[in-house]
Amino acid sequence: DQQVKQNSPSLSVQEGRISILNCDYTNSMFDYFLWYKKYPAEGPTFLISISSIKDKNEDGRFTVFLNKSAKHLSLHIVPSQPGDSAVYFCAASALNDYKLSFGAGTTVTVRA
Amino acid sequence: DTAVSQTPKYLVTQMGNDKSIKCEQNLGHDTMYWYKQDSKKFLKIMFSYNNKELIINETVPNRFSPKSPDKAHLNLHINSLELGDSAVYFCASSQDPGPGTSTDTQYFGPGTRLTVL
């Protein structure tokens, strides 16, 4: 029972353009959301997070948007760079819950 | 310095064997986790320890036993390995979020790829 869903398994984008990654969740108790980036043969690396009290959080080229009513969040990367080519995981946690629930990941390929 | 480290990185073994994976974090975190990434690439929580106390145990076969000798270490011991145990196992750590909050950002180790033949 996947409570966090990333319905696009892959995304290809040209260098310099915007990458938009989407994530949907079903558990209304989730109140903290994170994006992780993962290169092959490495562990996931924390990228950016957002609390449910906000609808946007920005960190350099990365912006996460949260739409609580739609139970949807997105990650915008602009401009996309070749080093952004990786698998991106959306994750969420609920109040008083230590664990993270992960989506299946979206593989981003940035073309030169 | 590596924040969360795991050994070994690769582990190939026969069915029925017993093996251990070690994890250490030097971040001063109170909470540590084991996740399993299966063939479909889903990352799923297995266990979590907070200050050496087990706080999460997700329907994992009792062949898997975590051991936390201290706050900085969380080892995973697997008895009687089966083919289906083949996966990548990730250790992670975070600050103790405390009551009334969600889990803090978790930092992951590089993973251990376990192959059971």
Side-chain angles (χ1 to χ4, degrees), chain A residues 36 98-100, chain B residues 33 35 92-94 103-108:
Chain A
Y36 283 84
Y98 282 80
K99 67 182 181 189
L100 289 177
Chain B
Y33 311 80
Y35 285 84
S93 73
S94 72
T103 181
D104 200 359
T105 300
Q106 295 180 17
Y107 295 88
F108 285 78

Side-chain angles (χ1 to χ4, degrees), chain A residues 22-86:
Chain A
N22 294 303
C23 178
D24 297 294
Y25 61 96
T26 56
N27 188 342
S28 57
M29 300 303 291
F30 286 151
D31 70 341
Y32 187 60
F33 304 89
L34 309 91
W35 285 95
Y36 283 84
K37 175 180 177 179
K38 185 182 179 306
Y39 293 120
E42 294 184 12
T45 303
F46 170 71
L47 202 54
I48 192 169
S49 63
I50 188 166
S51 160
S52 59
I53 61 173
K54 294 185 174 181
D55 54 20
K56 177 182 173 182
N57 189 25
E58 192 171 350
D59 184 1
R61 296 185 297 114
F62 303 92
T63 303
V64 57
F65 295 92
L66 175 63
N67 182 334
K68 288 189 292 293
S69 59
K71 294 193 178 70
H72 176 84
L73 64 155
S74 61
L75 174 68
H76 292 206
I77 308 172
V78 57
S80 299
Q81 298 174 353
D84 296 332
S85 295

